[in-house]
Amino acid sequence: MHITARVDYALRAMVELAAGEPGLVKGERIATAQAIPLKLLENILLDLKHGGLVRSQRGFEGGYGLAKPADDITLADVIRVVEGPLANVRGVRPESVGYKGLSEPLRDVWIAVRASLRTVLESVTIADIVSGALPAPIRRLLAKPEAWLPH
């Protein structure tokens, strides 16, 4: 899976917003704390707002906050708002990909890859990241030495 800079920045911004709850956090503060270019961050925050994950308020007391509790926002939710579906093949959902002949089973592999991504990304919330306490199934995956191999 390729994690884009937009997804990385969006997740890091959501963590900053969760840590700032229940108050609002200025975009400049998030940008500085996470070394994210402010203009790009503002565009990402706008996407997150349109996706129903972030709220904003203008003015001196303004800033950004989470639109719902951090334990109700999964990493998958953020990724879907910023980048779209978790897995696709050449821009098409895996179940819509058609192969012929010996390559037919590849579609099922891509669907399984998506299911695996969902298993992880839908089980971890922004609150889990802020607390540093990942769910037990994730910790079990991380405990396997092969999880840390670079290939």
Side-chain angles (χ1 to χ4, degrees):
M1 176 178 185
H2 174 76
I3 308 294
T4 65
R6 282 183 63 79
V7 165
D8 182 49
Y9 292 163
L11 291 168
R12 290 165 42 203
M14 293 294 284
V15 168
E16 290 291 328
L17 293 177
E21 286 289 306
L24 297 175
V25 182
K26 300 277 187 196
E28 295 86 6
R29 184 171 138 211
I30 298 168
T32 300
Q34 292 295 323
I36 300 171
L38 180 59
K39 194 71 173 167
L40 179 54
L41 174 64
E42 288 172 344
N43 290 331
I44 292 167
L45 289 168
L46 185 60
D47 287 344
L48 293 168
K49 180 180 176 185
H50 289 145
L53 299 180
V54 167
R55 60 188 169 87
S56 66
Q57 180 179 317
R58 293 180 185 236
F60 182 74
E61 298 288 324
Y64 298 92
L66 298 180
K68 54 187 179 178
D71 57 357
D72 290 341
I73 303 172
T74 69
L75 302 188
D77 294 332
V78 177
I79 293 169
R80 286 181 181 119
V81 165
V82 174
E83 290 288 331
L86 294 180
N88 66 63
V89 180
R90 300 180 323 271
V92 177
R93 293 181 184 272
E95 67 275 8
S96 299
V97 174
Y99 294 109
K100 294 182 180 184
L102 296 174
S103 297
E104 280 187 56
L106 276 175
R107 181 191 65 141
D108 295 340
V109 171
W110 303 147
I111 291 170
V113 166
R114 180 180 59 192
S116 294
L117 289 172
R118 283 180 177 163
T119 298
V120 172
L121 297 173
E122 290 178 350
S123 70
V124 180
T125 68
I126 296 299
D128 295 330
I129 301 298
V130 172
S131 73
L134 297 175
I138 305 306
R139 290 194 315 270
R140 283 193 294 276
L141 285 171
L142 291 170
K144 296 178 181 180
E146 61 270 17
W148 297 91
L149 294 177
H151 54 70

